[in-house]
Amino acid sequence: MLSQAAEDYLKSIYKLQEKGGKVSTGVLAEFLNVKPASVTGMIKKLKSMKLIKYERYHGVTLTNAGKAIALEVIRHHRLLELYLFKALGMPWDGVHDEAEKLEHVISEDMEERMDAYLGYPTSDPHGSPIPDKNGVVPKTASIPMTSLQDGQSCVVAEVNDSDSALLRHLGSFNLYPGTRFRVIEVAPFEGPFTIDVAGQQAVIGREVAKHIFVDDIHDT
Amino acid sequence: MLSQAAEDYLKSIYKLQEKGGKVSTGVLAEFLNVKPASVTGMIKKLKSMKLIKYERYHGVTLTNAGKAIALEVIRHHRLLELYLFKALGMPWDGVHDEAEKLEHVISEDMEERMDAYLGYPTSDPHGSPIPDKNGVVPKTASIPMTSLQDGQSCVVAEVNDSDSALLRHLGSFNLYPGTRFRVIEVAPFEGPFTIDVAGQQAVIGREVAKHIFVDDIHDT
DNA sequence: TGTAAAATTTAGTTATGCCTAAATATTTTT
DNA sequence: AAAAATATTTAGGCATAACTAAATTTTACA
Ligand SMILES: [Mn+2]
Ligand SMILES: [Mn+2]
Ligand SMILES: [Mn+2]
Ligand SMILES: [Mn+2]
């Protein structure tokens, strides 16, 4: 059995790799909140297990075996988030931390039971896709809210799940995945977005908007 | 935060202490499946944390602080077993292993949510009492099945939870907590018990009977 | 193209929690 | 009460996974 630490490394490499190909030691260290020297150590272990490809000073990428494990952990995480949300009524800003710990210890049987209970869902409470049993990730085609223009209407597709204060903030405007809103005004010089959510006006700063991804855009 | 290993030591000391006061290094080692030398090491750590009382060569007992942690872990374990059983439909012979891992990882919030979902239960699927939030253990007054006589009728109160093959065996006779049965015959010379469970006859060996505890005994 | 800055790796340390083998204390037996 | 058997502790190691400080490699830029 792989250690929790190793699983978290693989999961993190997967996520970082999505955005930019090879993953450097420094970026991974930053992401995992450890020192670069520690990352070098774990990288060697993962390489010896053939879970990553690695050349000194040149970053890492997952092998197929490593990717399969990463996706399994991500599947656990997202199923758990949705399960805790739906079955135990946990708030959407609380499920991430709980899932972060549980993801490494649940059995395949428990995974399957949650999946069945939830009706084989394809996304978690923050809109992130849940990989299926075979590691196939449902396609999502959302764009960053920051690229929206005045007058456009759209649906929240996905939000960053790891900052619970941000999630509470979004919750206060009812900005959950599936919620439609319309851009009233984008303030100039990289300014905030004024939006309309179900008749209520809200002002969303750039920094917040960066963590929101949207879908189904219409000009109005 | 206490390590998982330390939590398991405290839980084990609590359980062994229930039966026989002071807990010796060897008994604890046997129970935890580690070597006595490892136990000595952990004992020193737990003593330095003031969670146990200890004198070299003379065994350990829990302090109040240690007992509180032990009961908290046991509460997690038993709530989890019942939750997995009721909410996810896991078989009663599967919940122990799952709970053994989850017990160290769940938050107080999750504990409370499971407790509420289950309606503040007082016993787990194997009949063991669930300590309440304040560490108060519901009183149970069951006696070992091995002390039953011919013709006595009783109700299953509690069974040993950690041997899943044994649990499957008991399940095949419908011997769950709450099930009433009647002793038809106790074979002489420490022989097996022939019992009647809801009209069906079953033969239960001594070794199995040792792990069954009963209640509400009537002579018939 | 050489040097300075930045990133990464190596070397050496720490803490946890397990192990085996040897030493020591306790308990039982004679 | 001493010797033998049993239980426990100490001593020394190993694996994991972090850290700091120093050395090395890459990259950026003058
Ligand atoms: Mn998450
Ligand atoms: Mn994790
Ligand atoms: Mn159990
Ligand atoms: Mn445990």
Side-chain angles (χ1 to χ4, degrees), chain B residues 77 81 96 161:
Chain B
H77 183 96
E81 284 193 346
H96 176 80
D161 69 343

Side-chain angles (χ1 to χ4, degrees), chain B:
Chain B
M1 228 323 192
L2 217 52
S3 69
Q4 296 201 178
E7 287 187 351
D8 277 338
Y9 272 83
L10 293 173
K11 187 177 66 162
S12 302
I13 293 165
Y14 176 86
K15 288 182 175 180
L16 294 168
Q17 183 175 278
E18 290 297 270
K19 312 270 170 201
K22 279 188 182 170
V23 179
S24 72
T25 303
V27 166
L28 192 47
E30 164 98 49
F31 192 81
L32 281 163
N33 269 299
V34 297
K35 302 296 171 199
S38 306
V39 170
T40 302
M42 179 61 88
I43 277 176
K44 286 178 175 169
K45 196 163 307 164
L46 294 174
K47 184 186 179 171
S48 81
M49 293 190 254
K50 306 211 175 189
L51 299 173
I52 58 175
K53 271 164 254 165
Y54 166 59
E55 270 175 298
R56 262 160 66 263
Y57 291 98
H58 289 92
V60 299
T61 46
L62 295 173
T63 62
N64 285 338
K67 190 176 167 188
I69 293 171
L71 285 166
E72 169 76 1
V73 177
I74 289 169
R75 174 170 160 80
H76 284 184
H77 183 96
R78 295 182 182 163
L79 273 178
L80 278 160
E81 284 193 346
L82 190 64
Y83 184 82
L84 295 169
F85 183 72
K86 287 218 179 161
L88 284 174
M90 253 186 217
W92 84 327
D93 58 281
V95 295
H96 176 80
D97 287 351
E98 194 87 37
E100 198 64 43
K101 297 175 296 173
L102 292 169
E103 64 188 6
H104 306 290
V105 162
I106 62 169
S107 65
E108 290 307 285
D109 183 49
M110 183 161 169
E111 172 194 320
E112 275 168 31
R113 287 174 190 278
M114 289 190 302
D115 198 22
Y117 172 91
L118 295 165
Y120 309 98
T122 56
S123 68
D124 77 13
H126 316 102
S128 302
I130 301 175
D132 76 9
K133 220 170 290 192
N134 305 308
V136 177
V137 185
K139 270 273 144 351
T140 56
S142 48
I143 65 158
M145 175 173 169
T146 47
S147 63
L148 292 176
Q149 311 289 318
D150 283 31
Q152 289 187 310
S153 159
C154 64
V155 171
V156 176
E158 186 173 350
V159 300
N160 189 302
D161 69 343
S162 57
D163 183 338
S164 72
L166 175 73
L167 292 174
R168 275 193 300 281
H169 184 241
L170 297 180
S172 74
F173 302 127
N174 269 293
L175 283 176
Y176 302 109
T179 301
R180 178 165 287 281
F181 68 86
R182 195 174 52 82
V183 178
I184 297 171
E185 194 203 357
V186 183
F189 306 112
E190 305 286 290
F193 293 72
T194 305
I195 65 174
D196 177 297
V197 189
Q200 289 285 314
Q201 233 173 266
V203 180
I204 306 291
R206 282 268 152 186
E207 277 313 306
V208 171
K210 277 181 190 164
H211 295 109
I212 302 174
F213 298 84
V214 300
D215 238 352
D216 198 17
I217 297 157
H218 295 289
D219 293 286
T220 59

Side-chain angles (χ1 to χ4, degrees), chain A residues 1-15 28 31-32 42 46 49 51 62 66-74 76-77 99-106 108:
Chain A
M1 228 320 191
L2 217 51
S3 69
Q4 295 201 180
E7 287 187 351
D8 277 338
Y9 272 84
L10 293 173
K11 187 177 67 162
S12 302
I13 293 165
Y14 176 86
K15 287 182 175 180
L28 191 48
F31 193 81
L32 282 163
M42 179 62 88
L46 295 174
M49 293 190 254
L51 298 173
L62 296 173
K67 189 176 169 189
I69 293 170
L71 285 167
E72 169 75 1
V73 177
I74 289 169
H76 283 186
H77 182 96
E100 198 63 44
K101 298 174 296 174
L102 292 169
E103 65 188 5
H104 306 290
V105 300
I106 62 169
E108 290 307 286

Side-chain angles (χ1 to χ4, degrees), chain A residues 140-154:
Chain A
T140 56
S142 49
I143 66 159
M145 174 171 168
T146 47
S147 63
L148 292 176
Q149 311 289 317
D150 282 30
Q152 289 186 311
S153 159
C154 64

